[in-house]
Amino acid sequence: MTTTTLQCADTPLPPAQGLPWDVGMGRACVACGKKLTVGAVSRGKVSGRQGVHSIDTEVWACPPRPAS
């Protein structure tokens, strides 16, 4: 039996609306919410608007785990 572990860098990105503050500021993983230290991987930008204001935010994920 083979189990597949989805890594944080592989999870779908959420919309920009409703992101927790620490995720939006790049201090926590966008997928699991753990605090980021070294080796974080940029996941790109999530887009959103609030009225006429763009709330596009770059989000980060935990570093990839080594294959076992």
Side-chain angles (χ1 to χ4, degrees), residues 41 44 63:
V41 178

Side-chain angles (χ1 to χ4, degrees), residues 6 8 14 26 34 44-45 49-50 53-54 58 64 66:
L6 192 62
C8 292
K34 290 183 182 177
K45 289 188 177 183
R49 297 195 74 74
Q50 233 172 4
H53 304 283
S54 171
E58 185 174 12

Side-chain angles (χ1 to χ4, degrees), residues 14-24 46-50 55 57:
Q17 288 84 0
L19 281 179
W21 182 87
D22 52 349
V23 172
V46 292
S47 298
R49 297 195 74 74
Q50 233 172 4
I55 55 171
T57 305

Side-chain angles (χ1 to χ4, degrees), residues 7-13 30-31 41-45 58-61:
Q7 295 194 25
C8 292
D10 299 327
T11 59
L13 292 176
V30 67
V41 178
S42 174
R43 287 296 318 277
K45 289 188 177 183
E58 185 174 12
V59 291
W60 297 80

